[in-house]
Amino acid sequence: MTDRTELQAAVAAGVTGSDEAFRGLLGAIVEVARSIFGARASSILLLDEESEELVFEAVVGEGEESLLGM
């Protein structure tokens, strides 16, 4: 699968509204951003309204294993 195909699949899956599809969409977004900017890593943080903290929801590249969910 190409990056474009993966992105299109993630966007299409995001329409269904499942958590798995949403995470796939976020993953595709950070991968494309990392590729466009030639960065070693890319991430998306979302606000956890209960704790009022930002949480790494999608991470690609350096720190991927340790940052996700923090």
Side-chain angles (χ1 to χ4, degrees):
M1 239 187 213
T2 66
D3 287 340
R4 182 178 175 91
T5 304
E6 290 174 353
L7 178 59
Q8 288 173 331
V11 169
V15 174
T16 64
S18 73
D19 285 343
E20 184 177 320
F22 180 68
R23 297 217 185 280
L25 177 59
L26 292 179
I29 291 168
V30 294
E31 184 60 53
V32 169
R34 181 175 77 135
S35 177
I36 288 171
F37 293 106
R40 291 185 295 190
S42 179
S43 61
I44 292 178
L45 292 93
L46 297 178
L47 178 64
D48 179 330
E49 293 182 1
E50 288 183 21
S51 66
E52 296 186 357
E53 294 179 337
L54 291 174
V55 178
F56 284 95
E57 291 293 333
V59 182
V60 175
E62 291 183 14
E64 184 172 351
E65 298 83 23
S66 60
L67 292 175
L68 193 59
M70 303 242 350

